[in-house]
Structures are given as structure tokens and as C-alpha cells.
């Protein structure tokens, strides 16, 4: 489907994470090893926090591997927290409004995976989105609808609960349509301070997700690695696929879990969508349809 | 907003209508005289009937005036019925899925104008679309929603009544939100046999629309004009703006009217959206909300 | 590098050759088996003969696999002779002027492979191009320069000799710069009547090239294959990679050979660039520099 | 032809210069007042100095007025020296390699105007480019060739003399071909420390060029203008067209002059291309052809 990367730590050039590693995200756009497809050439996007009140977005419809602007920007933009995403479309158009990350105020969101049989449940799910958020859906993707469901359910207050609720709505809608495994996903969200990486699928066989070992430990393992010297102790990457083969650096996020990075620590928490979505109905629809 | 052109008659090269005239559609992309904007550079599209079961679409996000592919195609594709559209976005993204014409089966649709305050009424209108058509909305535009409302109300059986009903829904939704003039439009639709050109606005001051004089009359007026010799008697153009200054060639379609071309004749019929939209409620929503 | 396909025969929808086969050119854009790269996603182009005086070109910078316009055109355009090309850039920009096929008057040209160390010899080769042709070089590619060298040396009169002469100039320029293997190529050229497919490399290990078995033989081999019934006896494809596994259908063009299709026959001729390029110097430079 | 803007001074958000002014460069992309064309929609580019060793480039083929990435970047990137350019093509393709600014090492270059009858002199001029620079010409424009001629003649040592020499070569080549007015131009070049703005044309009727009044004077004129408070005393804009109607703010650069901004001062110097180009022949061609 897609590949993505999320960085938080001391400010670095985007290039250090996007292009420099042996199996960088750009390399994965042509040669993904763990993705559902080898090629992720249906557009890309980066989002980063810096000067503006909201994070910056740069999204393009070209394959990441041959985008001259992305290469140049990555060599000039420095940020303490950024997202990057390369897309393999599961059918929808290759256009900027379908490229991740998606943005809402201070928040960024990106997704790898899919809502199965999205055509069948799209209308139900779009109706679940808060009417005040409806018109800010710009593209056609399942991912953006998922983001808006999470926003509807309080993403800005409690990301883990809101994403769980959104997944609950998707699974409820899917079950109503007889879809066996309604969702497959890894998701990253951030408010610019902390970042959350989710791994989940209805079938319990989710796409891969990794978080890096903490920097002090890596320094002990690799005392001569120059890159680590300039990096803050609290730096972490969350990635859908390791950027190289460095032993001890990449820790798999377990099935049905959420990695939370920020505030000086990184932790793994359980991620369990509610089985009955009734309690999760958006306020504007509460009681109007059986969960 | 936009400019468009619809041709029906003996097969001609698209170039004859798109590039050759003095004030051609391509010229209008830079120098529109009657449009709301001088420049219509936010993408373009052509749709034509030929070999395939459904009409062909070619849409691009570049300005029409500098698109090499459009120039080449227009010099090679011949068709007895085609639509062409140049876009001036009223805010939504410049992407192919927002470019006209839109297609559904054998049908093409294009629009100049806008649904006022579309953000405020979009959700209501999208809910009015038949659920089975919901997932085929690909872009973000008011125009595509209008097309889907008309499809919901039977465009394929009675285009004039269906477009009137769709406009009635838009005006009803707008009035519920306190919007003074809910819609401004010229619209073209075709099934590949006949074509309909609508001119209407809630305020009664609609964008311009013209239909050409019949070819036999033009031949009498301009006996030495070579172009007319090769053209069939039943050929007509419907355009949002004349392609030149040929006296007697361009007849304004009156306010609140519909020009119908096909079956050997061209006629102007009244176009009156229903004031009460209750009778026009889509079947799937009948009775569920006050009109 | 790239993959390409050339068709000549009874008029068919482009789709039949581009999309329908099991291992179609579109499939090869993601999953090439015999190419130097698996992915050929750096733009595409088609050229076909039809209504116009010159062949039509449609070229795009998106990967072929996700281009909606290419899909639509291919389902509507019918032609008795067409070229199609998918590109894997060896470094130059992804832009339409770098996409194949290239056109000059009635002629089309496309190339898979490269001029080694093109930066080192580009100026020499561009100077070898006839000054009257100089300003029609639009892009940056080695391929387009090669085309212009062949035009300089009489492509329109004797394609095989002109391409051989052009290759001779490239090899001479390369040798002057100490380049071991100056060129690697398969090339297709056509004037709309006949088509030539060249296979050659300085090292004698050229990229693959295939021409289809004649249709009457295929009909004997596969009497129940519907596709073959509608196809003229003289139909042939020349391809850089077979479009499927049909036994007996794909014949490898030998090293240093040229397949010529047209005028009711298909033949394989030797292709031997001149060793001394002095005799091949373009007229405008004759004697001005040692070969 | 085109419109451009160059800023040097205290670091500001690009948006302040590109979008905020009443008649901003983005506004000029649709509604230029002093340009040869009203519309400048054939691509754009920005170049800025910041983190990297070389300036960053971001160039696009869309009209500047509807590019979401440009809007976002401009709201997030801060720089003490940047160039911005909007293009109206005089015939060459709309592709990134034809978009200004052009970059060579630490240097940026952009141009408004044209080399008349460029097709006729292109080969001569390209041959005048130093062979070591030949292969770094990426696009098709007269502007990029002009830049490479100036690089050939020592732009990095003495920009004013090098640009004069380049113009001398163009005028000499044009005269040899009987072209009455070989060049029309405003040009901006910078090394990241200083910037030079040239105004010149063979006919002595050059496109407009303006440089802003020094900030201390503007503060005296407009003591209550907030924008000026945060701006350093040495800040200046050079523009092809004023960004608004502020009286006393925009000073026309005289015909055949060069504005130099940097090192704490802004001055206007004469700009006189050499009449005999013989003395200016590039070293690699000295004596090989009559000037």
C-alpha cells in the first residue's frame, strides 16, 4: 500500500532520514521489502513543524524517487518533527489531495493499509464524520475519512481513544456490510509535540511497524557511529519498514499496539478498538442507527 | 468561472472548434471576454464519442493554452459530438478529478458557474445523491455533485426535468441555509445523440450562453465560406462565449432556457426548476426532511 | 532503461497491445522481467498514425500504470501503426520533452539503452547534428541526439544506413574519450509505412528484442485463438520484451541485427555500424575533425 | 514574458514578499500591469539561501496562483536572500528545467525578456559556452544559455562584466544573422551575498525594473508602517514590476543600468555591453570565428 516514516528529536535535515539511510524511504519507493507492493510510486508527501503556526506540507504526484523538488527541499529544511509518506494507490486517483500526510490545524495524520471494500462503506463512514468537518475532506481516500472520523471522536484530546473509536466505526460499518476484515492499518499522528504510531488490523495480521531503540542504548552499541553523536537522547523514528540492517536498532511494534514518542520517553501501549461501536457514535448521530 | 463548448454535427477534427476560430476556446483560456474571469487556466478537459462504448475523456491540470498533448490530440481526433471545457477554479484543487466534463456511462456533463456557499450545503446535497451513486463522486466540485443529483433524479430518462430537479434541490438546500442566490450556471449534457445546454441562475442574471445559427442559413449569409461547405446541415455549437464576431452566427440562449440540439433540429425550451423541492426528493430520502 | 512496443498491421485499438496482454507494456512499467530495471515509471509516450499529416504524440510524465488519460485514449484510438514507450530515466529529468517517441515530420523514433558517459560526448555529438536540425532538439536525452544524428545522416532515405552511421559517430566520439563501450541500444523507427527495429551494443551484449511470428503461422499453432481471427496476415509487433508466454510467438532478433516490417513481409537484416566514422562525417563537418 | 522579484535583507518569510503585497508576484501571475503579457502562468520558481551549501530551488510547472505547495512553503521558509520568478513562455515547453531561477554552485540567475529569433542563433551561442559547462545546460531556454555564457565569461569573478560580455556575444551573433534587436532583458544574479539587477535591450526600450528605496527613508516617509519596523536598514527588493502603489517606495532602474545591492549599500551602475565581441570571445574559441 504505502510506506511511511515519522521522526521526532533534535532538529535534523530531512535528507538525513529520507535519503541518507541504506534502505531509505526513497529507496523503498522503488524497492520496498516489507510492503504489500515493491513499488510505491503513486505520489508522496512530507509534513514538518517549523516557522508557521501549522505544520508545512509538501505533497507531489510524481514518484518520490525522481522528484527534484523533494530532493532539494530535503537538503535545506531542518525540523525537530516531521512525517514522510510514499504512496501506492489502491485504486483512487494520483492527486495531491489523496497524498499523505493529511493536516488539520496543528495535527498531521498518515496511513498505510486500507479499509476493505471502501466503496461499500464510504457513505456510512462519511455520514459519521462531524458535519462541521465534512467540507474539509478534500480527497477520495479511505485514509482521509479515517482521519476525519478520529477528529470527530476527539483526536485532539485523546488520540489513542479517538483512533480506536474511528477503527471501531469502520469495523462496525464493515460488519453491517458483511465484510470479513474491515481494516488493515498502520497509522501515525502527531500534534507537533508527541507522535503516535498505531498497528492494527481486523484479521490480526497487520502490516509491519517499527520504532527505533533509544539513542543512549544505540550509542553504547555503536560507540563510533558519528550520526548518533549529534542526535539528542530523545530522538526516535517510527517507520513502516526499517531503513537499514543495523542490528538492535529496530524494534517491532507488536500487533494491536500503539507506540507513543514524546515528553522524553517512548512507550508501547495496547490498542483495542471498541467492539460495540454504539458507545462511540459521534454526538451528531447518537442513537440514529444501530451500531 | 469556466468556459465551455459543445459540438454536434458531421464529424470534424477537434482542432476546428478548439483552436481554429479567431476567439477559440484556447484563446479564451487566456483572454475570455464574457467570463467572470479573464483567465481560465486551472485545467481543462475534452470528451468525445468515437470507437468506445463510452465517450473518451482527456483531462489535464495544465492551462489549456500550453498543453502539447491537447494540441496534438485535437489535430488527430475526429468526432461527430464532443465537449470541451476550460476551468477557472473557484477554490477547489486543480486536479483531474475536478476537471470537466464528467462522465457516467454514455453521458457527459459540464458546468460553468457555481453553487454559492457550497461548503455550507455540500453535506446536504451529497446526502441527496442516490447511495448507489455516492462512491462514484471522484472530485471535490459543486459541478460533479450537481451532475450526481441530476443522475439521481433521472437524467438518463428526462434530462431537462432531472437538471431542473437537481437545481431545485440546490435552491432548497441554499434557502434552508439562508443563501440568497444559491446557484449560477450554464450546463451542457449529452448522451452522444442529443445535447442540452442550460442557462439559469437563482438571481435571474445568468452567465452567457449561445447556440449557433443553423448551417443552411449561415451558408446563405456567407456563401463563400469554405468551412461551411463541408459541414452537415444539422451541425451546431453551444458555447458559453462566441468563438468570433461572425454576424448572425451566434444566438443568445435566453435566461432560464434550455437549448436542445439533435435529431435534426435545434430548439429552445423553457427551464424552470420546481419551487417546492418536496416533490423532487430523491426516492431514497422521500419524506425524510422538509423541502 | 526503458521498454517499448511497435505495432504494424490491421488497425486495432491501442488497448489491445498496451493493456490486454498478460505481460503488457503497462504491466512491464511495474514488473519488467528482462529490463535493466524492474520499474519503468519515469514517464511514457505513444505515437500513432491516423487522421493527421504527421503522427500524433501523447506523452506524459506520470508512470504509465496510473495514467487515466492513457487508459482512456488507448480504449478509443485505433491505428494501423503505433509506437509505445515507458521510460526508466538514466538520470535526466522526467519531462515530456525527454519522453519517447520523438517525432520529425512523418517519422517516429524510440530507444531503449544509453550512450555511456553521455555527458562526456554530448557536445561532440550535438555538433555533429546538422545545424538546420539543431534547434529542433527539445530535450536532454541521449536518445533524441541519436535520432538527430540519424536524421542528419539520411534517416528519411535509408534508415538502416543512417542509424548505422549515427551509431558509428557515437562510437567514434566515445573512443576519442576513452569510453570502452560507447553505446547500448534497441531502437525503433518508422515512417508510418514500414518499421525498423535495431538491436546493437558496442560490447556485443545487447538488450533483448523480439519480433512476433507471422499471423498465418500463429493461426495454425493456435486455431482457436479469437484475437488472431480479426488480425491481418501482415500484422507484427516488435517489442523489447515479450508480452506473454505464448510458445512460438516471440522470436528473438539476433545481436547486431535489424528487423524490418512492412510491405507485406518481415525480415531480419544485419546491422553493422561503420568502424571508421570518417566516411560518415555529416556533410557540414566533413574533414573538420579526425574520426 | 515573465515577472520576477529578488529580496535581500533581514530574514523574512517568503510569503511576506510573494503573497502579502497588494500587487504581489502571485497577483502578477494573473494580472501583470507592466509585463508583455497579463498572464504569467507557464510555471514558476523560487530559490533561497539557508541551511545548505548551495541555494535551494523549488520550481513547478503549474501557474503560481494555484500551487498549494508554493503557498505552503512560502508560509514556512525564512531567508535573508531569495529569488522568485513567474514565467510566460515565449514558446518553449513548460517544464521544470525551463523554469527560473537557474542555479550553478552558489549562484542563482533569472531573466525576463528574450533573445530574439533564438532558433537562428542558438547553435552559435551554445558553442560559445565553455565545453566544461555545456552538459549542465538542462533546458531549452534562451535564458539558461545566457546564464551559461555569463558563467563562461567569469560571472563568478565579475558579474557585471560577465553579463555584459554575454550580452555582447548575443548581439554579435544576432547581427551576424541580420537580427535587428537581438536582446531584450532584465536579469537578476546573486551569489547569496550581493545581488545584481540588470536592465538592457538592444533597441534601448527595455522592460521595466525597479529597486526599493532604502528602509530608513521609507521609515521617515511612513512612520506608522509596522512592516518596516522589523526590517533591517539594508533590506531591498529588486522587481520587474512594483508590488503596490506606495509613493516614494519604487525607483525605476534606468535604461542600460545595473542595480547592485549588498554590503550595506545599493547603487546604480552603468551597463554597457561591448560593441566588438572579439575581445570577449570565450577562451576556448578565441580567434576561431569573426566577431
Amino acid at each position: 500500500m504505502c510506506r511511511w516514516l515519522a521522526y521526532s528529536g533534535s532538529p535534523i535535515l530531512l535528507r538525513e532520514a529520507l535519503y541518507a539511510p541504506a534502505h531509505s524511504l526513497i529507496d523503498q519507493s522503488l524497492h520496498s521489502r516489507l510492503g504489500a507492493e515493491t513499488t510505491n510510486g503513486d505520489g508522496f508527501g512530507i509534513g514538518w513543524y517549523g516557522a508557521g503556526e501549522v505544520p508545512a506540507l509538501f505533497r507531489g504526484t510524481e514518484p518520490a524517487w525522481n522528484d527534484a523538488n523533494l530532493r532539494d527541499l530535503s537538503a535545506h529544511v531542518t525540523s525537530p518533527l516531521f512525517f514522510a509518506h510514499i504512496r501506492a494507490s489502491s485504486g483512487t486517483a494520483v492527486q495531491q489531495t489523496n497524498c499523505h500526510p493529511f493536516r488539520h490545524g496543528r495535527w498531521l495524520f498518515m496511513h498505510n493499509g486500507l479499509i476493505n471494500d471502501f466503496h461499500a462503506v464510504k457513505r456510512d463512514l462519511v455520514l459519521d464524520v462531524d458535519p462541521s468537518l465534512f467540507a474539509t475532506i478534500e480527497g477520495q481516500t479511505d485514509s482521509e475519512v479515517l482521519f476525519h472520523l478520529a477528529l470527530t471522536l476527539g483526536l485532539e484530546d485523546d488520540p489513542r481513544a479517538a483512533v480506536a473509536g474511528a477503527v471501531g466505526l469502520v469495523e462496525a460499518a464493515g460488519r453491517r456490510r458483511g465484510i470479513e476484515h474491515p481494516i488493515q492499518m498502520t497509522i501515525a499522528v502527531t500534534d507537533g509535540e508527541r507522535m503516535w504510531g498505531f498497528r492494527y488490523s481486523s484479521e490480526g495480521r497487520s502490516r509491519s511497524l517499527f520504532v527505533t531503540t533509544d539513542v543512549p542504548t544505540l550509542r553504547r552499541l555503536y560507540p563510533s557511529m558519528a550520526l548518533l553523536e549529534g542526535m539528542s537522547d530523545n530522538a526516535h523514528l517510527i517507520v513502516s519498514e526499517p531503513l537499514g540492517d543495523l542490528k538492535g536498532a529496530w524494534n517491532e511494534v507488536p500487533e494491536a499496539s500503539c507506540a507513543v514518542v514524546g515528553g522524553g520517553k517512548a512507550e508501547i501501549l495496547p490498542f483495542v478498538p471498541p467492539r460495540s461501536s454504539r458507545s462511540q457514535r459521534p454526538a451528531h448521530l447518537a442513537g440514529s442507527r444501530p451500531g
Side-chain angles (χ1 to χ4, degrees), chain A residues 188-259:
Chain A
V189 298
T190 182
D191 60 357
E193 305 292 328
R194 288 191 295 170
M195 57 186 194
W196 291 258
F198 300 90
R199 184 184 185 204
Y200 180 78
S201 61
S202 307
E203 58 187 306
R205 297 165 53 90
S206 303
R207 306 265 187 265
S208 58
L209 188 66
F210 298 84
V211 61
T212 50
T213 300
D214 63 286
V215 171
T217 304
L218 286 173
R219 280 204 200 95
R220 278 193 299 276
L221 286 170
Y222 300 97
S224 61
M225 187 173 281
L227 173 67
L228 294 167
E229 283 171 31
M231 199 165 272
S232 61
D233 281 10
N234 66 346
H236 280 283
L237 282 165
I238 308 179
V239 296
S240 51
E241 179 168 335
L243 307 186
D245 299 324
L246 199 63
K247 215 172 158 181
W250 305 100
N251 308 291
E252 193 168 13
V253 175
E255 186 68 44
S257 300
C258 171

Side-chain angles (χ1 to χ4, degrees), chain A residues 161-201:
Chain A
V163 171
V167 170
L169 288 175
V170 172
E171 294 193 316
R175 280 195 302 270
R176 285 197 304 269
R177 302 282 173 180
I179 298 165
E180 192 182 2
H181 301 307
I183 194 166
Q184 168 67 259
M185 69 179 223
T186 66
I187 281 178
V189 298
T190 182
D191 60 357
E193 305 292 328
R194 288 191 295 170
M195 57 186 194
W196 291 258
F198 300 90
R199 184 184 185 204
Y200 180 78
S201 61

Side-chain angles (χ1 to χ4, degrees), chain A residues 1-4 42-47 57-60 83-90 92 95-103 108-114 141-147 186-188:
Chain A
M1 306 296 152
C2 307
R3 305 280 80 189
W4 57 258
D42 299 331
F44 67 87
I46 55 175
L57 280 189
F58 173 62
R59 302 188 291 184
F83 276 16
H85 186 277
I86 52 176
R87 188 166 176 247
S89 167
S90 49
T92 50
Q95 57 191 26
Q96 283 181 25
T97 53
N98 285 351
C99 289
H100 312 223
F102 301 100
R103 174 177 61 191
L108 292 176
F109 174 100
M110 58 186 175
H111 170 223
N112 161 38
L114 80 170
T141 61
D142 50 358
S143 308
E144 194 185 14
V145 171
L146 201 50
F147 181 31
T186 66
I187 281 178

